[in-house]
Every structure is written in structure tokens, then in C-alpha cells.
């Protein structure tokens, strides 16, 4: 009744946790408990949705990770999983001069066959008066993602198995 299900689901969330000094500095990789709860809810929703669709394949979680209040989840139809290659994830902090994860992005890139994809979930400064700051942070996030060296020339060490090129 709901039509054909998608081959790939990309779910980005914001404000998964309350933003405060503790969460922005100490829990820069996000809240593992809340991330796990989100992944469980999304996984269950996909299972329920697929159960009501004739001939529907199950989904495999490709990745799920966060940064402070941001989260990014990717799920792919099981039949397409063998065609996924070069999955890579990253996070770029732009808050407090790149030290805090209250602003920035989480991103994932991959290949499905010959198709190259990149998904970015950003949390940037809000309001009409923050346009210059927002544009600068977006530019930094796009420049620094998946790179070993930041756009400012500083080394970006690997974190939690993420690759730097």
C-alpha cells in the first residue's frame, strides 16, 4: 500500500542530547546510549515497514555514529550490500575554533557499484545575523571532511577508525 521501499535510507538527526559544556567538550563523539536507542528505533521501524511489503528484503545498517547532538545512520537493502565499497565516516568540529563539537558536521561517503555518494548532517550557527559564520563553518566542514590535514594546516588525527586521506 505504501509503495516500493527505498534502496538506501540516510537518517540525520540533531539535538540528540542537550548541548552544554560537558556534552560539547567531553562527549565529542556523541552519547552512545542515545545513539544506540535511536538506531534500535530506526531498525525496528524498517523491520516493521518491510514486514508489511510483499517480497521486501531486510536492511543492513552500514554505519551509525554521532558528534555531540548530531547523529547519522545509513541503512541499505540487503541485496545491495555486496555492491557497497569504500564506506568512510568522519566528523568535523567547527565550534569554539574547532575544539568543540557543538557546531560542525558528521558525514559518510561510499560507493554503490559505480555510484559515489556523500551525505552530510550539519549543525551550524542559527539566525540571520550569523550568515558569515555559518558560511565559514560550512566551508570548513566541506574542506576538512575525510582529510588528514585541516584547511588551517593542522593535522587531523584518526578517530574511532575513521580514515584520513
Amino acid at each position: 500500500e505504501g509503495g516500493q521501499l527505498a534502496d538506501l535510507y540516510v537518517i540525520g538527526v540533531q539535538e540528540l542530547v542537550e548541548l552544554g559544556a560537558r556534552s560539547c567538550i567531553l562527549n565529542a563523539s556523541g552519547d552512545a546510549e542515545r545513539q544506540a536507542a535511536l538506531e534500535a528505533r530506526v531498525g525496528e521501524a524498517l523491520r516493521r515497514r518491510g514486514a508489511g511489503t510483499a517480497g521486501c528484503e531486510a536492511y543492513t545498517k552500514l554505519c551509525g555514529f554521532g558528534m555531540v547532538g548530531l547523529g547519522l545512520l545509513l541503512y541499505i537493502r540487503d541485496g545491495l550490500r555486496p555492491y557497497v565499497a569504500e564506506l568512510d565516516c568522519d566528523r568535523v568540529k567547527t565550534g569554539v575554533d574547532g575544539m568543540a563539537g557543538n557546531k560542525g558536521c558528521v558525514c559518510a561517503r561510499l560507493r554503490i557499484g559505480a555510484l559515489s555518494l556523500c551525505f552530510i548532517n550539519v549543525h551550524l550557527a542559527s539566525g540571520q545575523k550569523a550568515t558569515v559564520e555559518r558560511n565559514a563553518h560550512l566551508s570548513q566542514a566541506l574542506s576538512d571532511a575525510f582529510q588528514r590535514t585541516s584547511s588551517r594546516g593542522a593535522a587531523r588525527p584518526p578517530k574511532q577508525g575513521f580514515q584520513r586521506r
Side-chain angles (χ1 to χ4, degrees):
E1 308 220 51
Q4 186 175 0
L5 299 180
D7 292 330
L8 176 70
Y9 284 95
V10 179
I11 298 122
V13 297
Q14 296 186 6
E15 300 185 10
L16 197 55
V17 298
E18 289 293 323
L19 294 180
R22 183 177 187 88
S23 62
C24 290
I25 303 297
L26 298 178
N27 296 332
S29 63
D31 184 308
E33 187 175 305
R34 288 186 185 203
Q35 181 79 22
L38 172 66
E39 291 175 17
R41 287 191 307 272
V42 170
E44 179 57 28
L46 287 173
R47 278 188 290 284
R48 277 196 321 267
R49 176 79 168 102
T53 305
C56 178
E57 293 180 55
Y59 287 86
T60 297
K61 183 179 78 172
L62 292 175
C63 70
F65 69 104
M67 177 180 77
V68 185
L70 289 174
L72 188 63
L73 308 170
L74 277 71
Y75 292 83
I76 193 160
R77 192 169 44 82
D78 282 350
L80 290 176
R81 181 61 183 105
Y83 302 100
V84 173
E86 300 176 29
L87 175 64
D88 195 7
C89 304
D90 201 1
R91 45 175 85 90
V92 178
K93 299 177 190 179
T94 62
V96 190
D97 205 26
M99 299 301 292
N102 61 319
K103 302 293 182 202
C105 76
V106 290
C107 45
R109 67 179 179 183
L110 69 150
R111 288 194 177 281
I112 303 175
L115 182 64
S116 176
L117 301 165
C118 183
F119 301 99
I120 301 174
N121 183 11
V122 298
H123 188 225
L124 304 171
S126 64
Q128 295 301 313
K129 294 181 180 180
T131 303
V132 172
E133 178 186 8
R134 188 170 42 252
N135 290 343
H137 285 183
L138 180 59
S139 178
Q140 179 186 351
L142 293 172
S143 295
D144 290 0
F146 309 108
Q147 304 303 310
R148 288 183 187 202
T149 306
S150 75
S151 54
R152 297 178 180 184
R156 297 187 65 231
K159 294 183 180 181
Q160 296 187 353
F162 298 160
Q163 300 174 20
R164 302 277 190 240
R165 304 206 192 287

